[in-house]
Structures are given as C-alpha cells and as structure tokens.
Amino acid sequence: MATFTKISGSEAPSVSINAKHKISKINDNVYGGFTEHMGRCIYGGIYDPGNSISDENGFRKDVIEALKQLRVPVVRYPGGNFVATYHWLDGVGPKEQRPSRPELAWLGIETNEFGTDEFLKWCEIVGTEPYFALNFGTGTLDEALAWVEYCNSSSNTYYANLRRKNGREKPYNVKYWALGNEMWGPWQVGQMTKEEYAKKAYQWAKALKLLDPSIELILCGETGYSSWDAHVLKECIKWDVHSLGGSTTASLISMHSIHIYTAAKEHLPNATAPRSAERAIEMTAALIDLARIENAVPYTVPRPLICFDEWNVWDPARAPGDKGAEEKYTLSDALAVAIWLNVFVRQSKHIGMANIAQSVNVISPLMTTKSGLVKQTTWWPLLLFSQYMRGHTIGVNVCCAEYEGPTEPAWIRGTIETPWLDVSAAICDDNIVTLAVVNVHDSQSFKTSLDGLPAGEVKVYSVTGRDVDVSNTVGKEEVGIKESIWDGEGKFEFPKHSLTMLRWKM
Ligand code: AHR
C-alpha cells in the first residue's frame, strides 16, 4: 500500500516509510512466469534438443539457470490462446508416436514433442511449481478430469496408470488449474458469452474438486473491470450446500484471473500505463466482495484472490502474435515493468499470483540465441524485485508532483494519479527494508527526503540508461543494474528515467 500526496513542481518531494506498519504479505507467486506453445517460447526457448547448451532432456541449461536466478515460483502452461485447441493426450507417451497437429491460435504446426511430462520435469529442474490451463475451447470435461487424474492421482486407475506406464510413478501434484483462458475473446476458438462460460465453469469446478479436492481452481476473468468479470464472479463465487459437502471453510474457486498488457508510443504514457492495472485490481477486488455479499457467502469461506496471469508491456501491432511476438524492449518499457511490479507490491493484499507473459522469447525479458541469452531491459527490474521485494508490503507515502499529460488508456486520468515518483516498499523476514522508486521523468532528477530511514549505510541498486529509447541487443547491454552504497545522509537524488532500489537493515 502506498499513498500519494500531490504537491506542485516547485515544492520539495519526500517519501515517508513506516517499516513497523506491515500491511499484507506479498505472495511469492507474484513473480510467476508463463510458457506457452507460441513462437519460440517452448521450441527454441526452453526446449532446444540437439543444441550443445541443452541438457540430456533437450532443456536449455542457460534458460534454466536464468529462471533459477529469478526464483520463478510458478509457471503457467501450455497457454494462452494455444490451450483452446490443445489435447493433452497428444503430448504424452513415446515421442515417435505423438501426432503433429495444425495449431489454430498462432497458425503453426504443433509436433507435441514437448508435453505434460516434459514440462513437469522441467519445472522440477527449475524448482518451480506448475500451473495448468484447461482447454475450454475444443476440450471436454472428461479430458480435463483425465488430465488431473494423470497428474495427481495415486490410485490404481486408468490415467494414473498411463502416467506410470510413461515412466512416472509418483503423482506430480499439480495444484493450480485454470478454467480456460480468455474465453470472452473473439479470437478464441470456442468463444463464449459470459452466461455460457459461468455455467460451464461452475459445473467443471464441481467435478474437478470432487476428483481432487486439493487443487486450486482459477476462474477466467477479463480485465477485472468488465461486465464479464462481474457476471462470472456473481455466478461462480457462491456458497452451495451441494458443493464441497457444504463446507463453510473451503471454496470451489481460489482465484479470479485477469489479463492486461500496456504499451504506448510515447515514453510517459507508456511508463505510467500500468497505473491502469492498479485501478483494475481495485475494481476486481470490489467485484469479488460484491459477489460474496450478494451471494451471502459465509465469511469463513476464503476470499478469492486475483490471479494476474498475463501482464506485461506488449503492443501486438508492433510484435504480432502469429509472428512470434518478439518485442524489443526499451528503457521506457523497463520503467513500465518496474511500475507494474510496484503495483503488485502495493496491492499485495489482493494478489494471489501474477505471471509475466511470457518467460522466454515471446514478449519476454529473456531472449535466446543459438548460443546464449540476451537479457532485455525489462529483465533488470524483474530480477531486482524478485530477489529483494519479498515479505510484507509496508506503509509508504510519496509527496511529489505528477505527470499531467495524456495517458494510455485515457481513463487513467481522472481515476488514478500518475506521480513522477512511483514507490512501493517491503520488509522481509530478516528485517531488511526495500524501497523501490521509479522516477518516470525523462529530463528531471528529484532530490528527495526519506523520512523513516534509520542512520547507517544504504545499498543502492539502479537501473537506467542514456535515454528512454535504448535497448539491449546481442553483445550490447545498454541497461543493467549498477550497485553502490549511500551513507544515508541528507536527501537522495533519484535520477531522471530510472528505477532505484534502496535497501537497509532496520
Ligand atoms: O501471451 C500472449 C497471448 O496473449 C496469450 O496467448 C493470450 O492469452 C493473450 O491474448
């Protein structure tokens, strides 16, 4: 949680931090990833057999190391839009017997060389938890139940035995399952009305939880502020005596998924665009509460959280999906990503999971070449947040002037402010406070007093570059992390177009 006090540009900015005021736990899963059968994400991204830098499974070792460094806690798979025509059974068993199929989301051919067992093995190597999306397009409930049984059952039943036959005795215990992806979208095979979706999702949820009560189901929302979201929440966030044996301490739906991509041509609308996601989170949280109130859900039933399972900077006109969506990110985009992450920290009370779309090559901070990796500008804020911004979000107030020009989307103006300094703060278990400050101004630094800072040294991590348009390319890293120490005396000067992370021991 952070509050904002607007002052004029001629007044001196300040940030007040109250490290004793822990507000809410930052769920580790906000640093989640996403790998879809799309472009070069799976094939040529995480899976590259025959390449000397891949392991005996065909998994890229450099990608594994990078994602380990990022401490990615959970990875969504196999889509995205891809999942709407995906039949998981095509991707298990002996590879030479797996069928190649036309792929309708991105108009390619899916060889099914990489499937459920490969992905789950890869997750074990990376040290991350899998999150599967179910096929709500051409898939059936029987197929979905069979997939859960294949992954999670220890019984002597058909699909559990098929898993054993395919070489895996122990269940994988996949906890997170999404009830479809973007089923509201006109591009979706099997697009539905909100009424059709809500009815189907509720019935599937009952059956899936009967089969495996330990799984957590994620409802397919839209942006969080649409009539789709309001309707599906109203129909599915309810307490029903027939489901879960009438339990008043469990719920069918654990999270509500929303997706937003931000982008704008000009730097300031681009960097401030993630403020729309902050307002979207607030609106979604209100709709969740409204559904619970209207449906008289007992307060003992856990309140569903938001699963922001696709977020990032992406302009599909610049980097089209059917061409692999390989965005070349700038410093401006890195600052937008830093504000996205500030949003998740500030709104941690409402966020159960967030997944950057995507983890490798496709609209990703991490790009593979045949022989190595390029870490795009957006990699660096993600790395800093994932490494340091854990624990609890704490109270912080920023007092500064704001950017007052056009925004993308336009409705940001009038619903939420766009301060020059965008801040969040957290305290982790070993009592280290981390303050993240994004100065979006493209020509002005801000000397800022920091109230609540104890005496002593402060570690400084800074991400910036020559100008807001610079990018990282093979062999040329314009944007990275610079580390230094500040003695904590006087004011701190936040440089123009920068992310600064300050860390100190309480
Ligand atoms: O992440 C790329 C695509 O964007 C996903 O497949 C889809 O869910 C969204 O529209």
Side-chain angles (χ1 to χ4, degrees):
M1 173 65 95
T3 47
F4 170 53
T5 305
K6 185 174 173 175
I7 54 174
S8 75
S10 57
E11 291 172 275
S14 61
V15 173
S16 312
I17 308 121
N18 196 331
K20 288 198 188 119
H21 290 188
K22 282 189 186 177
I23 290 170
S24 47
K25 175 95 183 81
I26 301 166
N27 196 309
D28 283 343
N29 283 349
V30 300
Y31 301 113
F34 171 31
T35 54
E36 173 167 7
H37 285 248
M38 175 180 176
R40 296 193 305 124
C41 183
I42 301 291
Y43 301 108
I46 68 176
Y47 182 68
D48 196 4
N51 191 324
S52 60
I53 51 175
S54 295
D55 68 8
E56 65 286 4
N57 304 296
F59 303 155
R60 282 282 294 246
K61 289 190 275 191
D62 50 356
V63 172
I64 290 171
E65 280 322 303
L67 296 180
K68 277 186 175 172
Q69 188 193 10
L70 213 52
R71 296 169 61 196
V72 178
V74 60
V75 179
R76 181 173 181 246
Y77 175 84
N81 297 341
F82 170 80
V83 78
T85 58
Y86 180 60
H87 298 289
W88 69 270
L89 271 165
D90 289 345
V92 296
K95 288 198 179 183
E96 60 287 358
Q97 288 169 23
R98 297 187 194 173
S100 282
R101 304 261 190 215
E103 194 286 298
L104 301 185
W106 310 112
L107 302 178
I109 290 175
E110 175 52 52
T111 63
N112 285 302
E113 238 183 286
F114 187 96
T116 300
D117 292 293
E118 289 76 26
F119 179 72
L120 293 171
K121 185 176 217 173
W122 179 83
C123 285
E124 287 178 348
I125 295 172
V126 173
T128 193
E129 194 157 352
Y131 163 23
F132 280 165
L134 295 167
N135 176 354
F136 258 55
T138 60
T140 63
L141 175 55
D142 277 341
E143 226 178 318
L145 289 165
W147 203 10
V148 174
E149 180 193 327
Y150 184 91
C151 293
N152 290 0
S153 174
S154 50
S155 303
N156 180 16
T157 52
Y158 182 81
Y159 289 105
N161 286 334
L162 182 63
R163 182 194 68 234
R164 293 184 183 101
K165 188 171 153 213
N166 289 339
R168 172 75 183 205
E169 177 56 41
K170 267 195 323 186
Y172 291 108
N173 296 323
V174 177
K175 181 168 159 192
Y176 300 110
W177 296 82
L179 299 164
N181 168 72
E182 295 188 355
M183 294 314 300
W184 43 269
W187 51 85
Q188 208 62 247
V189 173
Q191 183 194 0
M192 291 172 198
T193 63
K194 55 187 186 300
E195 290 80 12
E196 287 163 346
Y197 174 78
K199 193 167 172 200
K200 180 165 167 176
Y202 194 74
Q203 295 309 318
W204 279 41
K206 276 200 299 193
L208 291 158
K209 287 287 259 194
L210 282 170
L211 176 67
D212 184 349
S214 74
I215 60 176
E216 300 211 357
L217 294 174
I218 292 106
L219 196 60
C220 168
E222 195 182 328
T223 51
Y225 54 90
S226 70
S227 55
W228 172 284
D229 293 282
H231 182 81
V232 303
L233 283 165
K234 175 75 196 297
E235 292 305 308
C236 298
I237 304 301
K238 57 190 181 191
W239 181 77
D240 177 346
V241 75
H242 299 295
S243 68
L244 304 176
S247 164
T248 51
T249 53
S251 60
L252 277 187
I253 304 295
S254 301
M255 288 187 268
H256 181 72
S257 142
I258 59 175
H259 295 173
I260 291 180
Y261 293 96
T262 60
K265 285 198 174 61
E266 300 300 323
H267 164 60
L268 287 167
N270 184 52
T272 55
R275 290 287 278 165
S276 62
E278 183 139 27
R279 198 71 189 109
I281 291 168
E282 291 167 348
M283 291 189 265
T284 315
L287 290 177
I288 290 171
D289 288 343
L290 182 63
R292 278 165 64 86
I293 293 166
E294 289 189 341
N295 292 332
V297 178
Y299 73 92
T300 46
V301 173
R303 177 172 174 269
L305 296 172
I306 296 167
C307 181
F308 218 126
D309 54 14
E310 287 185 31
W311 70 268
N312 205 346
V313 177
W314 182 25
D315 176 355
R318 192 165 65 187
D322 57 359
K323 305 240 169 1
E326 300 202 2
E327 280 274 22
K328 186 173 165 199
Y329 288 117
T330 62
L331 174 61
S332 176
D333 299 326
L335 300 183
V337 162
I339 294 185
W340 265 106
L341 294 163
N342 269 348
V343 167
F344 294 138
V345 173
R346 291 193 286 259
Q347 298 293 334
S348 61
K349 175 182 171 197
H350 301 302
I351 306 289
M353 189 192 296
N355 307 72
I356 189 165
Q358 298 188 2
S359 293
V360 190
N361 289 334
V362 174
I363 38 175
S364 178
L366 193 64
M367 306 299 289
T368 61
T369 66
K370 262 287 158 218
S371 57
L373 293 178
V374 175
K375 289 173 176 162
Q376 297 224 56
T377 57
T378 53
W379 169 265
W380 304 104
L382 190 62
L383 181 66
L384 280 179
F385 273 81
S386 178
Q387 281 183 335
Y388 299 133
M389 205 52 112
R390 304 226 182 200
H392 282 80
T393 185
I394 55 173
V396 60
N397 179 261
V398 61
C399 185
C400 64
E402 77 166 322
Y403 162 64
E404 291 179 359
T407 59
E408 180 58 49
W411 62 253
I412 288 182
R413 192 62 69 230
T415 57
I416 194 161
E417 311 90 338
T418 48
W420 288 118
L421 299 177
D422 188 282
V423 306
S424 76
I427 187 160
C428 57
D429 294 341
D430 47 6
N431 254 359
I432 294 180
V433 174
T434 304
L435 172 72
V437 179
V438 184
N439 176 5
V440 291
H441 209 297
D442 42 5
S443 60
Q444 196 180 323
S445 65
F446 291 102
K447 280 195 179 142
T448 307
S449 52
L450 301 178
D451 309 328
L453 186 75
E457 277 190 347
V458 176
K459 281 196 176 152
V460 182
Y461 303 83
S462 162
V463 176
T464 186
R466 244 183 320 113
D467 65 64
V468 291
D469 293 329
V470 293
S471 306
N472 289 350
T473 46
V474 182
K476 194 164 171 233
E477 202 162 85
E478 293 264 1
V479 176
I481 299 174
K482 287 207 177 67
E483 295 189 24
S484 56
I485 301 285
W486 175 47
D487 62 10
E489 298 291 325
K491 293 185 174 188
F492 188 89
E493 182 161 0
F494 295 104
K496 64 180 179 183
H497 51 62
S498 66
L499 159 67
T500 307
M501 228 176 224
L502 301 177
R503 303 195 81 217
W504 63 87
K505 181 101 182 152
M506 280 312 287

